[in-house]
Amino acid sequence: MDYESAKLVFERYLNGYDRGNDKVKLKIVHTYGVVAQSTELAKRMGLSEEDTALARIIALLHDIGRFEQLKRFDSFMPDTMDHAAYGVKVLFDEGMIRQFVPEDKWDDIIQYAIARHSDYRLEAAGDERTMLHARLIRDADKLDNCRVKLVDDLETFVGAPAKEIGAQPVTPKIREDALAGRSIWSPDRVTLMDFWVSYVAYFYDLNFRESLDIVDERDYVRRIIRRIPYTNPETAKTMEELEKCMIKYVHKALRPSA
């Protein structure tokens, strides 16, 4: 595997899309952000050189289906296209993977990781190495999405300015799940605040202590929650509770027993 060669192929692929579109630009930056997060996690976890290279290739390709979704629908919403399934189709059904990785020895791992990276919940399947990479890409994806939630334009990825988001309610099902330590199932989201809560609750789905350490070190819980001004009193109360609940979770989850 040669990441730099794969990156050149990826850049040529992107030339088929509108690089000036804000959503396309967001996803390009996100892709390389996920590569960086995968590299950081691999280093912290002490992975081998080969597994580190494999993690970087998976990160580079994990959202390749997003660009066609944006071209066709100008939307990130899952009801417009299953971008993970489309990415698998382009790479493996249509054979484009050989342009990125000449050998086929890692195909099963790459395919499974990309296919499952955005699933609501990752079910255990396959061998230990396959699951390692499936979990790794999910964590790296979420970690870079923290950057997205903090620095990118809210109207680009949520569809509204901060004041409009914070004025909306959190629906009861979303509040219940988030405060009970459960990630949010996408179809349950109704209001824009439901979407915002889901971006915090996905920390419950992180797989590695190293990932939670990064969340803790960078104070992502407080920073993401406090980006929005909550003018709805019930929403403000919910987010205050969620901040306390999530910080407690980040500090304690996946730590070895004393």
Side-chain angles (χ1 to χ4, degrees):
M1 288 174 287
D2 182 343
Y3 172 79
E4 293 302 326
S5 294
K7 180 180 175 182
L8 291 175
V9 177
F10 182 68
E11 286 292 325
R12 288 198 296 270
Y13 180 81
L14 293 176
N15 289 336
Y17 298 92
D18 180 7
R19 288 173 176 265
N21 179 287
D22 284 344
K23 291 176 181 154
V24 171
K25 286 192 288 187
L26 184 151
K27 275 298 157 185
I28 295 172
V29 173
H30 169 65
T31 294
Y32 291 120
V34 176
V35 172
Q37 293 297 335
S38 292
T39 306
E40 174 69 13
L41 284 174
K43 180 180 179 181
R44 290 183 182 226
M45 294 167 67
L47 297 187
S48 68
E49 184 177 334
E50 181 173 282
D51 277 318
T52 299
L54 183 54
R56 285 163 59 80
I57 292 290
I58 291 169
L60 183 72
L61 301 178
H62 83 285
D63 261 356
I64 197 168
R66 279 292 193 196
F67 300 101
E68 190 65 23
Q69 181 185 22
L70 292 173
K71 184 175 183 178
R72 295 184 190 183
F73 305 104
D74 193 36
S75 172
F76 296 125
M77 297 303 292
D79 58 349
T80 61
M81 178 187 281
D82 183 338
H83 75 283
Y86 186 81
V88 168
K89 176 179 180 292
V90 168
L91 291 169
F92 294 94
D93 295 349
E94 297 178 9
M96 193 177 182
I97 188 63
R98 292 285 76 80
Q99 296 181 42
F100 294 100
V101 185
E103 296 181 70
D104 64 4
K105 63 182 290 187
W106 302 284
D107 279 9
D108 289 346
I109 296 174
I110 297 170
Q111 180 171 346
Y112 187 84
I114 292 173
R116 302 299 178 194
H117 83 271
S118 60
D119 283 4
Y120 169 57
R121 187 174 288 116
L122 182 64
E123 303 295 339
D127 59 44
E128 184 176 340
R129 194 180 189 195
T130 297
M131 293 308 298
L132 166 68
H133 283 282
R135 293 183 176 113
L136 187 60
I137 187 58
R138 288 169 68 88
D139 280 21
D141 194 16
K142 290 178 176 66
L143 289 172
D144 187 67
N145 269 314
C146 293
R147 179 197 54 77
V148 171
K149 303 309 179 283
L150 287 170
V151 305
D152 283 333
D153 180 63
L154 290 165
E155 294 192 50
T156 299
F157 67 88
V158 183
K163 286 185 178 180
E164 183 177 337
I165 297 167
Q168 295 194 9
V170 180
T171 55
K173 178 67 166 65
I174 300 301
R175 183 182 190 279
E176 177 186 349
D177 284 347
L179 294 178
R182 295 189 290 267
S183 295
I184 306 304
W185 191 44
S186 294
D188 286 341
R189 300 180 296 186
V190 178
T191 69
L192 293 177
M193 268 308 306
D194 289 347
F195 279 79
W196 195 250
V197 170
S198 75
Y199 301 148
V200 179
Y202 65 30
F203 292 137
Y204 293 129
D205 192 48
L206 291 173
N207 294 280
F208 303 110
R209 182 63 244 172
E210 292 83 356
S211 303
L212 289 167
D213 286 342
I214 291 172
V215 172
D216 188 21
E217 291 163 15
R218 299 175 186 172
D219 200 21
Y220 278 148
V221 174
R222 288 186 185 89
R223 291 169 65 202
I224 291 173
I225 287 177
R226 296 181 186 186
R227 184 177 184 188
I228 300 290
Y230 305 109
T231 55
N232 180 307
E234 287 301 314
T235 294
K237 181 180 177 182
T238 293
M239 298 310 289
E240 183 178 351
E241 291 181 57
L242 182 58
E243 181 177 307
K244 293 176 182 176
C245 180
M246 184 59 69
I247 288 173
K248 181 179 179 180
Y249 177 83
V250 167
H251 285 165
K252 292 187 176 182
L254 305 180
R255 291 199 181 278
S257 300

